[in-house]
Amino acid sequence: MSTTVRVNAAPSGDRLEPAVLKLGAVLVLGTILAVLDSTIVNVGIESIRRDFDSTLATVQWISTGYLLAFALVAPVSGWATNRFGAKRTWMVSVACFVIGSALCGLAWSAASLIAFRVLQGIGGGLIQPIGQSVIAQAAGPRRIGRVMSLLIIPLTFAPALGPVIGGILIGTLSWQWIFYINIPLGAITLLLAARVLPATPPEGGQKLDLLGLLLISPGLAALIYGFAETGNGHGFEDTVVHAPVAVGALLLVAYVVHALRSKGSPVLDLRLFARRAFSNAILTSFLVGAALFSSMFMLPLYYQQARGQDALHAGLLLIPQDIGIAVAMFFAGKLTERFGLRPVLLVGIALSMAGTLAYTQVGSEPSEILLTLGLFVRGAGLGAAMNPMVTAVFQSVEPQQMPQAAGINNVVHRIGGSLGTATLVIVLQHQVAGAAPADAFATAFCWALGISALTLLPALALPGRPRT
């Protein structure tokens, strides 16, 4: 038996009760904290380097340490939810994130800042998967698509806003405020959560799969670290990349063997993959993550390196994509409920590809109007695709399995993002050596288009109609 979150009584119709909407709104605030911080800090890297008189190689760990902490704790989200209760675990995670943020602002050296970022990432890594499982259980299978729109908006919208907000805070105040901004937001989130989140009694007696955790968490951290190093100018031929990737892959293979043989409760239950619908949904999530995060990394880089824009203006130029995401999110939930997962997801992928297509032509200097329109269409595609993708994951499992499904989905989504980003960085590095910057980026965007096209394969196997 696993903990199941309920808001009053089980839903009797398609209308979203005020209690569910309030619950979703509070969980959105927590998700915004975790997801926004993953990109907002990137703008302040250079200011932090100057203040601490440090090297770029050292301060890059401010971002990498946060990312690795995410990877280390994400696998335990399902176990922690069942063992301690969703409300308690979620609020402790938010509190850990806020305390880490305050300490980051007070950091006295690059080393201390990196350590506090790890603490911040430990809290942030649990906020999103636990929040997703809570709202999915409260909404029920029929209405997951509509209510998931509340949680998916920050997943796609916040990373794009990060550079803009970060640039404004650093330009008007100081880099410390990219961390301090989380304190009042976190305090408000905790106060609201104490009132709104339903109490969930912990499930006693469930032991932590310690061996599984010792295999999967370091394995994920090593894998993501190796991929992240490609963004620091290294190729797969460099030891700093292929060694951790190889070690991470071996540890993950060992975890798979352990989890499938385990008679108890593995930290991530891979038996869920026996469900064909779940496997297709997770593969779709992996590829969407690869397409989403890689392009999120590549677009501001294009405007800064090929067009000479600073970080703030590069972020502002991406606003059309944010508007497209918001517009699509407004309609995606209801469209998914009406037409089913597959049609909405396929349309979303197609729109995302159409928008990316404009950027495959940047070598020939297309007009600003075309690129702006391409960003809006791409954003609309991402907004339309993310909703049915996450909905498919939760509709493919039973309510008591949702915490495990959320943990697996977030882990796989992050791995996809890391691998996709690493792929495009390597392509870009190889192209820059023998081509003009614009032409090199055009080739990289062609690869991004190819990754999006691959997403069509598992998406075609998803259900055509929502489960009732």
Side-chain angles (χ1 to χ4, degrees):
M1 177 180 177
S2 298
T3 303
T4 300
V5 178
R6 298 183 186 278
V7 179
N8 296 330
S12 57
D14 288 342
R15 184 178 63 87
L16 291 174
E17 297 89 349
V20 176
L21 293 174
K22 289 179 182 177
L23 177 64
V26 172
L27 295 172
V28 161
L29 288 176
T31 306
I32 287 174
L33 285 173
V35 178
L36 182 64
D37 204 77
S38 64
T39 58
I40 194 173
V41 174
N42 293 339
V43 180
I45 291 294
E46 179 59 23
S47 297
I48 294 169
R49 186 195 66 77
R50 289 197 304 266
D51 273 13
F52 291 142
D53 192 23
S54 184
T55 64
L56 185 60
T58 297
V59 297
Q60 283 292 344
W61 276 94
I62 294 168
S63 296
T64 304
Y66 183 82
L67 182 64
L68 295 185
F70 248 75
L72 285 169
V73 301
V76 304
S77 61
W79 171 83
T81 298
N82 292 329
R83 181 66 179 80
F84 302 108
K87 179 176 182 177
R88 181 185 303 172
T89 307
W90 194 84
M91 291 186 66
V92 168
S93 301
V94 174
C96 181
F97 180 88
V98 173
I99 292 170
S101 298
L103 292 173
C104 285
L106 297 171
W108 56 90
S109 66
S112 63
L113 179 55
I114 292 167
F116 296 144
R117 279 285 282 171
V118 171
L119 175 63
Q120 195 186 30
I122 289 173
L126 292 175
I127 292 173
Q128 188 171 319
I130 294 174
Q132 285 182 345
S133 66
V134 168
I135 196 64
Q137 289 175 325
R142 174 73 184 178
R143 306 179 305 169
I144 288 177
R146 195 186 311 175
V147 78
M148 272 297 157
S149 294
L150 296 172
L151 287 178
I152 299 171
I153 288 176
L155 181 64
T156 52
F157 202 59
L161 286 178
V164 179
I165 297 174
I168 292 172
L169 290 173
I170 293 171
T172 57
L173 298 168
S174 68
W175 65 261
Q176 283 86 354
W177 281 93
I178 61 180
F179 300 111
Y180 289 150
I181 191 67
N182 294 324
I183 299 174
L185 293 177
I188 293 171
T189 300
L190 287 171
L191 289 173
L192 292 174
R195 296 174 58 88
V196 174
L197 262 65
T200 51
E203 178 186 341
Q206 184 173 346
K207 294 182 179 180
L208 177 63
D209 175 20
L210 186 58
L211 176 58
L213 186 62
L214 292 175
L215 290 172
I216 193 170
S217 288
L220 287 171
L223 196 68
I224 291 175
Y225 170 74
F227 291 147
E229 280 300 297
T230 61
N232 294 329
H234 299 288
F236 268 109
E237 68 277 5
D238 295 330
T239 303
V240 73
V241 174
H242 68 246
V245 168
V247 171
L250 286 173
L251 288 173
L252 293 181
V253 169
Y255 175 77
V256 171
V257 174
H258 161 75
L260 295 179
R261 290 181 176 178
S262 175
K263 298 183 188 288
S265 300
V267 64
L268 285 182
D269 190 359
L270 302 184
R271 297 181 184 93
L272 290 177
F273 284 96
R275 295 169 173 252
R276 184 178 178 184
F278 181 78
S279 296
N280 288 326
I282 290 297
L283 181 56
T284 303
S285 178
F286 174 84
L287 292 170
V288 168
L292 170 66
F293 287 104
S294 61
S295 295
M296 286 291 192
F297 175 84
M298 199 62 58
L299 283 166
L301 200 63
Y302 161 71
Y303 279 109
Q304 290 178 75
Q305 292 191 1
R307 305 287 290 272
Q309 301 289 344
D310 58 28
L312 175 58
H313 286 90
L316 292 172
L317 287 168
L318 298 181
I319 287 178
Q321 178 173 259
D322 302 337
I323 296 173
I325 291 172
V327 170
M329 284 292 179
F330 185 79
F331 299 102
K334 291 184 178 180
L335 290 174
T336 299
E337 291 179 0
R338 181 174 180 180
F339 298 106
L341 301 170
R342 187 171 62 235
V344 178
L345 180 56
L346 292 175
V347 169
I349 294 171
L351 287 173
S352 176
M353 292 174 64
T356 306
L357 188 62
Y359 280 82
T360 65
Q361 307 302 310
V362 292
S364 58
E365 299 183 359
S367 68
E368 289 290 342
I369 294 176
L370 178 61
L371 293 181
T372 300
L373 180 61
L375 274 181
F376 176 81
V377 172
R378 174 181 161 76
L382 290 173
M386 290 296 291
N387 185 290
M389 180 205 77
V390 177
T391 301
V393 172
F394 289 112
Q395 285 192 350
S396 64
V397 299
E398 301 303 321
Q400 67 271 17
Q401 297 171 319
M402 286 181 178
Q404 280 281 348
I408 292 174
N409 180 55
N410 278 270
V411 166
V412 170
H413 195 67
R414 291 278 173 181
I415 293 175
S418 298
L419 180 57
T421 301
T423 300
L424 292 197
V425 166
I426 291 171
V427 170
L428 184 62
Q429 288 172 347
H430 282 225
Q431 291 295 315
V432 164
D439 292 329
F441 276 99
T443 301
F445 283 120
C446 284
W447 278 72
L449 188 65
I451 294 173
S452 296
L454 286 176
T455 311
L456 293 169
L457 298 178
L460 286 168
L462 292 177
R465 281 286 175 186
R467 194 176 79 182
T468 56

